[in-house]
Amino acid sequence: MAQILATIHEDHRNYSILLALLNTDIEKLQQGESTDFIRLYDIMNYMTNYPDVTHHPVEEIIFNLLQEKTPEAREQISILVDEHQKLAKLGFSLKEKLHHVTSGAIVSKDAIISAANDYYHLLANHIDFEENKLFPLVEDSFSEEDWAKVQSQI
C-alpha cells in the first residue's frame, strides 16, 4: 500500500514543481517578457507522456476499487476520471502550440497563455482534490488485500 500511494504523492509533488515553472514562464509572457519556450515544451512533453500514460492509469485502478468499497465517492471519481481526459487534451493542445513556436511558427501569445492557464488551473485543482479529499479516503478504506488487488492490475 504505502509504496503505490507514496509514488502517487511523489508524482504530485513533481507535477507541482513543473506547474510552478510553467506558471512562472506564462506570467513572464503575460507581462511581455521573454520566456524559454523550449523549457515550456519540455515540461509539456513530459506532462503529456508520463502522467497520461503511467500515472493516471494507476489512479484509475485505485478509483475503480474505491467505487466498489465507497459508492458515495462515485460522483467525485467520475469527475476525476473526466478530468484525466480533459488534462490529456489540454496538455496535448498546449504542447502542440509550444512545438509550433519552437519550430519557428507564429503562434498567438494569447492562445498560449490561455491554453497554459487552462491546463495549470485544472491540474492544480485536480491534484489538490486528490491529495486532500480522495486519497485520505483511500487510506482509510483500503486494506492490504485491496492494495494487493491494485498491485496485481498495475
Side-chain angles (χ1 to χ4, degrees):
M1 174 292 264
Q3 187 55 48
I4 295 170
L5 213 46
T7 299
I8 289 172
H9 291 312
E10 182 65 23
D11 287 347
H12 285 170
R13 282 188 291 276
N14 292 336
Y15 303 156
S16 294
I17 291 167
L18 293 173
L19 282 176
L21 292 171
L22 174 74
N23 193 48
T24 297
D25 282 350
I26 293 305
E27 285 176 351
K28 285 181 182 177
L29 194 59
Q30 286 174 313
Q31 296 167 2
E33 298 176 28
S34 64
T35 192
D36 186 347
F37 287 104
I38 293 172
R39 179 171 83 167
L40 285 171
Y41 176 80
D42 288 344
I43 289 169
M44 291 312 302
N45 189 47
Y46 174 82
M47 294 301 291
T48 56
N49 283 293
Y50 181 77
D52 295 339
V53 175
T54 303
H55 176 89
H56 291 155
V58 172
E59 286 183 336
E60 290 176 15
I61 292 167
I62 293 168
F63 295 167
N64 287 337
L65 184 55
L66 183 63
Q67 285 184 113
E68 292 173 19
K69 297 180 69 63
T70 314
E72 61 271 17
R74 283 189 179 145
E75 185 177 338
Q76 294 171 332
I77 291 168
S78 177
I79 291 168
L80 291 172
V81 171
D82 286 346
E83 287 179 354
H84 285 171
Q85 294 170 0
K86 288 177 189 173
L87 286 164
K89 288 177 185 173
L90 289 171
F92 180 78
S93 175
L94 176 56
K95 182 178 98 170
E96 285 297 299
K97 286 174 180 50
L98 294 167
H99 175 72
H100 292 309
V101 170
T102 60
S103 298
I106 297 172
V107 179
S108 161
K109 178 175 88 169
D110 290 340
I112 293 170
I113 291 169
S114 177
N117 283 331
D118 289 348
Y119 183 81
Y120 172 85
H121 290 293
L122 181 58
L123 184 53
N125 290 332
H126 179 87
I127 290 170
D128 182 63
F129 185 82
E130 286 179 342
E131 288 293 326
N132 295 306
K133 303 285 188 208
L134 200 68
F135 290 134
L137 182 60
V138 168
E139 289 173 344
D140 292 343
S141 303
F142 277 29
S143 65
E144 287 303 317
E145 182 179 302
D146 295 326
W147 285 112
K149 287 180 189 176
V150 171
Q151 185 64 48
S152 72
Q153 295 177 52
I154 296 175

